[in-house]
Amino acid sequence: MSQETVKYNRSFAGSIGAGMKSVFAGKGRRYYELVHKTRSKYHQEGAVQKIIIDNIEIGRDPKCQVRFDESFTTVSRRHAAIVKEGEGWKLVQLSKTNSTYLNGNKVSDSWYLQSGDEIQLSTGGPKMGFVVPQGDAGLVKSIGLTNRLNLFRQQALRPWKTLSWSLLGGLVAACLVGGYFLFDLNKKNVDLTKKYDNAVVEAARRDSLNQVKMQNVVDSLSKVKLGLEKQVDDMRKKLKSNSAAISGLKQQVTPASGSSQGTKPGTSSAQGMKSIEQCFPFVYYIQTEAFEITYPDGKVEQYRCGENNAPGWSGTGFLLNDGRFVTARHVVEGWQFWRSSAGDDEDMFYLNVIVNNGGKVKYYFNCYSPSGANFSCSSTDFKVNRSQDQSGVSEDGIRFSHGVVATDFAYMRTGMSGGLAFDDVKCDQLKVKTELTVLGFPLGEGVNSINDIKPIYGNATVASEGLQRGRILTTNTNTEHGNSGGPVFYNDEKGDLVVIGIVSGGRGTNLGNIIPMSRVR
């Protein structure tokens, strides 16, 4: 059995592109089912696999969407493929050593599939039924969003989960810079932020004007950026909406009574503090507690962070003596700083897609001071700068975006008095080898309980005079995940500690990015 067909190649468009269309219920898209007639390690007899992407592979290779275990010795690593062609599907022979049979007939190249056909891998090998549900039941939109997301993870991402940035010819790899962020899934800290280098991203954008090249780059970016290797459907299936549980957080707590007793934003403050211990009361541990998603269809759901893998994180913030509470933007809006090469950021990109395609995300935080003071706030309470965010659109019209280092700051006005002195002039003029002091909660250290908090001391050395692409570049940077959003001090002429910036991220294990106070406005 042989028919002329386009030579099969594993493609982003056939997996990631088609998967995204199915996730967002592309109009008229249909799916098919594979009914397993042979029991195996990965499939029970009678088990049904719904296939929502255009190209799948069948075999013993872990990257195959339909996988058989090593006991099936006559099944090749990549044995066969099913490829969408027009409104139908074809069975394609891939193995050079083991045959594939369709209704008992050997497939030498490829052959069209019809609902009810039987596929067999090699003589005496496992059998599967090919079934196309009829009518509206065969439309992808008939599968719930939760299940579509799960199928996307299992099918569209499987062939690419180990793909490296090198496949983009070094172009996309150069777009990443390191970032420190205490990303706390189930209270564990994970590096979240490797952010774009603006110049290289701009080069990629210019290159994308060439439509042929753009297609390849966008397809590749769509794959890498959709690091949904965990079950994203936990966010809608396993988590139960619990309005009562977070209703208290939705009633924002005013940080403290009293009025601001400092300088206005954009001006340099006066005297700083003599000792690092004097700064402790104004350095806060920030912990996500809950979040609320408004989906593009208008449905609103609420979740507790840390329950059933619901994404949450923690970081550092600090109070200035002008009444502003300051942190890094990626501590407030983690979904804007997903790391496309890490499988731990799939939920963040999922949230990013929601925000950029008609939905909303709102996180609720509790902030704790070593003094015992604490307050609650939400991501929408903070002022952020989105003017330099990099954005893109997949071939399927799915929008996504990414924050940049230069605007990695966020602040909110409070009624609290006191706070840390800052300097928004000197921060732009620091000399090479200037020693800086950092406070924060690296890897969650310093937080034994909400009643036992003490920030951890760190340091860094100015690596280049003045600002580099809007940031203070440091070397010998002694910070870890969780320092993000923390204050960075220098000793002024009087020997007082004065804030000159915010911990943003690291580049490798030595270099660091500090956002100067001059930008925080």
Side-chain angles (χ1 to χ4, degrees), residues 273-280 495-497:
M273 296 176 179
K274 291 294 185 182
S275 70
I276 194 68
E277 289 78 11
Q278 288 179 289
C279 303
F280 285 3
D496 293 338
L497 288 163

Side-chain angles (χ1 to χ4, degrees), residues 69-87:
D69 59 80
E70 299 299 322
S71 66
F72 291 90
T73 56
T74 59
V75 175
S76 298
R77 306 291 295 177
R78 297 175 67 213
H79 195 111
I82 297 178
V83 180
K84 186 174 179 61
E85 187 166 296
E87 296 301 315

Side-chain angles (χ1 to χ4, degrees), residues 439-456:
L439 287 179
F441 302 95
L443 302 176
E445 294 295 334
V447 183
N448 297 313
S449 71
I450 61 174
N451 297 315
D452 184 10
I453 295 177
K454 183 179 293 184
I456 303 300

Side-chain angles (χ1 to χ4, degrees), residues 485-516:
V488 181
F489 304 84
Y490 87 108
N491 289 94
D492 66 8
E493 293 78 4
K494 299 178 181 179
D496 293 338
L497 288 163
V498 177
V499 177
I500 54 87
I502 308 165
V503 176
S504 172
R507 304 180 67 186
T509 59
N510 189 42
L511 296 180
N513 294 315
I514 307 299
I515 306 302

Side-chain angles (χ1 to χ4, degrees), residues 188-209:
K188 291 183 180 179
N189 304 296
V190 181
D191 182 11
L192 173 65
T193 54
K194 277 193 175 181
K195 298 177 285 292
Y196 287 107
D197 180 284
N198 293 340
V200 180
V201 170
E202 187 60 29
R205 178 183 291 176
R206 289 195 301 269
D207 184 61
S208 71
L209 293 177

